[in-house]
Amino acid sequence: MFKESYNVLGIMSGTSLDGIDLAHINFTIKNNRWSFTLYETETIPYKSNWLNKLKTAVDFSRTELEKLNEDYTLLLGNTIKSFIKKHQLINLDAVCSHGHTILHQPQNGYTLQIGNLPEIAEIVGVTVVCDFRVQDVKLGGQGAPLVPIGDRILFSEYDYCLNLGGFSNISFEQNGKRIAFDISPVNTVLNFYANKLGLAYDDKGTIARSGESDLNLMEELDALAYYQKPFPKSLGFEFVKTVVLPLMESYDISIEDKMHTFVKHIAKQTAFALPERNGKMLITGGGTYNDFLLESMQNYLPEMSLVVPDAKTLEYKEALIFALLGILKLRKEINVLSSVTGAKKDHSSGKIYPI
């Protein structure tokens, strides 16, 4: 499908569990340069029963996971179908969907994103491109992060692209190669503690700001083995559940102090992850609304210009880039970089379900 213009939907559900992000986008390519326009966008929150399933699915049996995958494919398909109907979208070239990550164990040659079963194309009534991570893991890669090729193609004017979601990830050019990796947990931990206080999240970081740093906890967090590992590397919720939360729960300090310490930890690890601590950094993802986190980051990076884009780009950047990955797959062009994931080679990943 080689065209100059593509009319697509990008669909993303991240580890923050904010909901299903849907973005209607037009991409154009002229003289080998891609540009985009974001049109209708929406985030459909998960109902409480689905939130509970997605939070606990890491412990499901194989049979339970298969049922979950079927049910989630139905939920996702109908959510997309409703979005198309609501906005009266026509002539879509494709729906490009990430699905939702339940298990991510590249070290064991395994990653599972639910919602990527072939039935989704029948429900939606449009060609679906999805399941972008599995092939990379089979090629010896981490299966993540996948967004960096989009950073290179669509946001090349920035020295760094940082996303603050369930986890933080960074991408940048180094010696002619795109480098990218997950830095640390972010909202997977902060939301866990906000939930303990009966809140969905820490609005603007006000709870974390009210606490104090526990230097011993900070020291133990900074000493975690993951931070010493070279890239490529990536994180899954298993790391939070088995390593980070048990460590934090071993400290008998207030939730406010735990959140304050963890925000400072995120900011510190972000600064440590960069080869150069100056230039321009584009910051997107839900964590961008945490004022205390951004202030802490600026304190660790006084010579860095932190750039927050318009609201649509900020909130829907991952949906936007998975839409681009889908188009590249349809064009049989590379959409995963081995320099980022550690796979044996660059490749064109994803499954295409035509109608």
Side-chain angles (χ1 to χ4, degrees):
M1 187 188 282
F2 289 90
K3 310 198 306 180
E4 281 194 353
S5 179
Y6 294 86
N7 183 33
V8 297
L9 290 186
I11 317 295
M12 179 68 197
S13 174
T15 45
S16 297
L17 294 172
D18 300 331
I20 299 168
D21 291 341
L22 304 102
H24 176 211
I25 310 147
N26 180 261
F27 286 95
T28 56
I29 180 167
K30 287 183 181 174
N31 301 321
N32 263 353
R33 288 188 67 84
W34 287 93
S35 59
F36 67 90
T37 304
L38 272 161
Y39 293 113
E40 299 86 356
T41 56
E42 198 170 349
T43 298
I44 308 297
Y46 288 114
K47 291 182 178 173
S48 57
N49 63 322
W50 267 107
L51 266 178
N52 187 52
K53 283 181 192 176
L54 296 175
K55 281 180 180 176
T56 57
V58 68
D59 296 319
F60 281 15
S61 68
R62 181 184 289 271
T63 305
E64 289 171 323
L65 283 175
E66 286 172 1
K67 178 74 166 68
L68 181 71
N69 200 352
E70 290 170 9
D71 292 346
Y72 187 78
T73 298
L74 193 61
L75 172 74
L76 191 57
N78 283 321
T79 301
I80 297 166
K81 187 178 178 181
S82 297
F83 181 83
I84 291 170
K85 185 178 179 183
K86 176 180 177 180
H87 297 290
Q88 301 179 322
L89 304 182
I90 57 171
N91 300 325
L92 287 169
D93 291 306
V95 168
C96 311
S97 177
H98 171 269
H100 185 86
T101 298
I102 294 295
L103 297 170
H104 184 64
Q105 300 167 1
Q107 71 279 10
N108 300 322
Y110 187 71
T111 186
L112 172 66
Q113 285 69 47
I114 59 173
N116 291 328
L117 297 176
E119 291 81 359
I120 193 167
E122 297 168 27
I123 300 167
V124 173
V126 177
T127 294
V128 174
V129 191
C130 61
D131 218 3
F132 296 97
R133 299 188 188 273
V134 173
Q135 179 175 295
D136 190 75
V137 172
K138 284 181 180 172
L139 287 170
Q142 290 280 311
L146 299 187
V147 167
I149 193 166
D151 291 341
R152 169 186 274 180
I153 292 170
L154 301 176
F155 300 103
S156 59
E157 68 267 35
Y158 297 97
D159 299 289
Y160 300 98
C161 290
L162 175 70
N163 187 69
L164 299 172
F167 300 89
S168 59
N169 49 68
I170 190 89
S171 92
F172 52 90
E173 296 289 326
Q174 191 173 62
N175 301 323
K177 285 185 174 182
R178 195 77 191 179
I179 304 298
F181 50 91
D182 289 345
I183 299 176
S184 74
V186 181
N187 291 332
T188 43
V189 171
L190 297 179
N191 290 355
F192 173 83
Y193 285 107
N195 294 168
K196 278 182 170 267
L197 297 173
L199 300 166
Y201 58 93
D202 182 7
D203 187 28
K204 297 182 180 177
T206 49
I207 299 167
R209 190 191 295 276
S210 71
E212 294 181 3
S213 280
D214 184 293
L215 297 182
N216 291 324
L217 174 57
M218 176 76 88
E219 193 173 306
E220 282 206 68
L221 286 167
D222 289 338
L224 291 175
Y226 177 80
Y227 301 121
Q228 324 309 323
K229 284 173 65 177
F231 52 79
K233 57 182 179 176
S234 61
L235 289 166
F237 187 67
E238 298 94 319
F239 175 73
V240 171
K241 188 182 176 205
T242 62
V243 178
V244 177
L245 292 179
L247 170 58
M248 294 183 70
E249 289 296 271
S250 72
Y251 277 75
D252 187 19
I253 58 176
S254 69
I255 287 177
E256 290 81 359
D257 287 356
K258 287 178 181 178
M259 293 176 79
H260 186 103
T261 304
F262 203 77
V263 165
K264 291 294 179 73
H265 169 70
I266 296 164
K268 188 177 183 181
Q269 289 304 324
T270 302
F272 285 175
L274 307 181
E276 302 288 338
R277 296 182 189 178
N278 53 36
K280 278 204 307 182
M281 180 188 286
L282 179 71
I283 307 183
T284 54
T288 311
Y289 291 112
N290 188 319
D291 293 346
F292 179 57
L293 174 55
L294 260 62
E295 287 169 28
S296 300
M297 215 168 273
Q298 189 74 80
N299 287 338
Y300 279 102
L301 295 165
E303 295 177 35
M304 183 75 71
S305 173
L306 305 183
V307 181
V308 177
D310 63 274
K312 274 189 181 180
T313 304
L314 188 161
E315 293 179 20
Y316 294 94
K317 177 171 172 262
E318 288 192 293
L320 164 74
I321 290 181
F322 276 98
L324 177 64
L325 296 191
I327 292 170
L328 294 174
K329 174 65 179 177
L330 289 170
R331 290 167 62 93
K332 299 180 180 176
E333 295 177 6
I334 286 166
N335 63 4
V336 180
L337 300 171
S338 57
S339 64
V340 166
T341 68
K344 293 171 187 169
K345 60 181 180 179
D346 294 348
H347 55 103
S348 187
S349 189
K351 291 176 184 164
I352 301 172
Y353 300 136
I355 51 164

